[in-house]
Amino acid sequence: MSQPSLEKFTPRDIRVLLIGIAVALISVIIAWVYFDDAFPEASIRFEVDKEASKTIGAQFLESRGFSVSQFKHASIFDYDNRSKVYLERTQGLEATNDLLSGPIRVWRWNHRWFQSKQKEEYQVAITPQGAIARYAHIIPEDADGPDLPEMEARVIAEQVLTQTLHRSLEDLEFLEHASNRLPNRTDHTFTWRRTDIIPGDADADYRYEITIQGDEFGGYREYLKVPESWKREYQQLRSANNTTGTVAAFFLLLTVLAMLIVLIQKARPGDVKWKTALIFGGIGFVLTLASQLNTIPLTLYNY
């Protein structure tokens, strides 16, 4: 079998290659200079890591009288993407960075303590600065508890808000109450908004929510209430983006088919160096496997 002839780069090929290298270098420089401004994630001030936040969460549960020593544990680092995007699009990147590094907390270490085939579990979210941002004690709907009237349940919620979570009522305005009558108890949810934060337009505010299960503190979350009008506008934008993504995926499929056709055409006369192809394929397999193994904590958390 005759050896395949090797094609050399032409001056035009070299120019295209040099242009590609120059564009890549310019892109790297721009990304290096403006990364912190473009991505609020780069400005996160981590005072606690995953293990330290787990300890804070476990201590919080112990202070509530719960032992999680026999529970399985899973954790991920997560954030409220909708709130982040809303602030970026309405306030600008610089103001968003200031808000996210201060009063508005969207970054969380999320921790779960659970047992297989058991409804009861505990969830605690810790900010990178070590504060409690969310808590949920998930129990069966038919669990026993008293049927407290609204005002008695609100007294408990305010005590939790001020004494356990150290939030001052002076900066809060009470918004609403909702009750949920269950078979053996009544759950109450109370919501306040902060009056010292104006994140975006007048319809947006930062809220604290306390859930009382019977007469027990069963849940807490703080979140940015994004206006419904903005949600609808953003959903329309996302719909257009999704359509564009579908079209791009179609052309990607055509590209893959073209690659397969070229591979078959080149394989027949022996122009394909299978050893090199197998080496690159093996490297791609190892990297893909490592990427999938890296998602195990996320899968376990969502179990």
Side-chain angles (χ1 to χ4, degrees):
M1 182 182 292
S2 60
Q3 294 293 329
S5 58
L6 299 178
E7 297 183 3
K8 295 182 179 180
F9 281 131
T10 64
R12 181 176 180 274
D13 294 332
I14 295 175
R15 285 196 300 271
V16 172
L17 182 61
L18 291 176
I19 291 173
I21 294 174
V23 171
L25 288 175
I26 293 173
S27 300
V28 170
I29 293 173
I30 292 175
W32 179 271
V33 173
Y34 293 104
F35 185 85
D36 289 355
D37 295 330
F39 298 98
E41 295 91 332
S43 63
I44 301 178
R45 179 169 48 88
F46 282 97
E47 296 182 11
V48 296
D49 58 12
K50 181 175 70 174
E51 288 302 316
S53 64
K54 175 186 175 183
T55 300
I56 294 173
Q59 290 175 346
F60 175 77
L61 293 176
E62 290 175 0
S63 70
R64 304 296 308 158
F66 303 120
S67 174
V68 293
S69 59
Q70 302 301 318
F71 284 65
K72 297 179 181 179
H73 172 264
S75 63
I76 59 172
F77 185 77
D78 200 8
Y79 66 97
D80 183 350
N81 182 65
R82 175 179 290 175
S83 297
K84 184 176 79 71
V85 172
Y86 168 75
L87 291 174
E88 289 173 343
R89 296 182 66 86
T90 60
Q91 302 298 295
L93 294 175
E94 184 175 353
T96 297
N97 285 337
D98 292 337
L99 288 170
L100 296 187
S101 61
I104 297 180
R105 308 190 291 195
V106 301
W107 321 107
R108 283 95 184 269
W109 292 108
N110 288 341
H111 296 274
R112 282 185 67 204
W113 285 268
F114 61 97
Q115 291 181 326
S116 298
K117 301 180 181 180
Q118 179 173 309
K119 177 70 174 179
E120 184 178 28
E121 71 171 75
Y122 305 94
Q123 300 178 4
V124 183
I126 309 296
T127 70
Q129 291 74 45
I132 304 293
R134 188 176 68 85
Y135 161 68
H137 181 199
I138 300 175
I139 59 176
E141 289 191 352
D142 58 356
D144 292 333
D147 295 315
L148 292 184
E150 175 186 342
M151 292 310 300
E152 290 186 23
R154 179 172 172 177
V155 170
I156 298 175
E158 291 179 346
Q159 289 175 346
V160 169
L161 199 59
T162 56
Q163 299 175 15
T164 303
L165 299 171
H166 309 293
R167 307 286 187 251
S168 174
L169 292 177
E170 295 180 357
D171 297 329
L172 302 180
E173 176 187 350
F174 181 75
L175 288 180
E176 59 188 10
H177 160 262
S179 61
N180 183 19
R181 184 69 179 90
L182 297 172
N184 300 314
R185 70 177 192 276
T186 298
D187 290 352
H188 298 269
T189 301
F190 301 92
T191 305
W192 292 262
R193 75 175 183 91
R194 287 189 60 165
T195 58
D196 59 333
I197 301 177
I198 305 177
D201 58 40
D203 294 329
D205 51 47
Y206 198 66
R207 299 187 175 188
Y208 296 146
E209 185 178 280
I210 298 286
T211 298
I212 304 298
Q213 297 169 332
D215 60 352
E216 294 289 335
F217 171 36
Y220 165 73
R221 71 181 181 124
E222 56 182 78
Y223 62 97
L224 178 64
K225 177 64 171 63
V226 176
E228 292 298 326
S229 59
W230 185 88
K231 289 181 183 179
R232 290 191 293 269
E233 292 175 0
Y234 185 66
Q235 186 60 41
Q236 293 175 355
L237 175 64
R238 292 301 306 165
S239 297
N241 291 344
N242 291 336
T243 302
T244 303
T246 301
V247 174
F250 173 73
F251 283 105
L252 177 61
L253 176 61
L254 294 181
T255 303
V256 171
L257 292 175
M259 292 168 60
L260 290 175
I261 293 172
V262 172
L263 177 63
I264 294 172
Q265 291 176 342
K266 295 296 182 180
R268 289 179 177 177
D271 289 344
V272 178
K273 295 183 179 180
W274 290 107
K275 182 179 180 180
T276 302
L278 289 174
I279 291 174
F280 278 100
I283 294 173
F285 171 78
V286 171
L287 293 177
T288 301
L289 177 61
S291 175
Q292 293 302 309
L293 291 176
N294 191 48
T295 64
I296 289 179
L298 178 61
T299 303
L300 180 62
Y301 183 85
N302 292 320
Y303 166 70

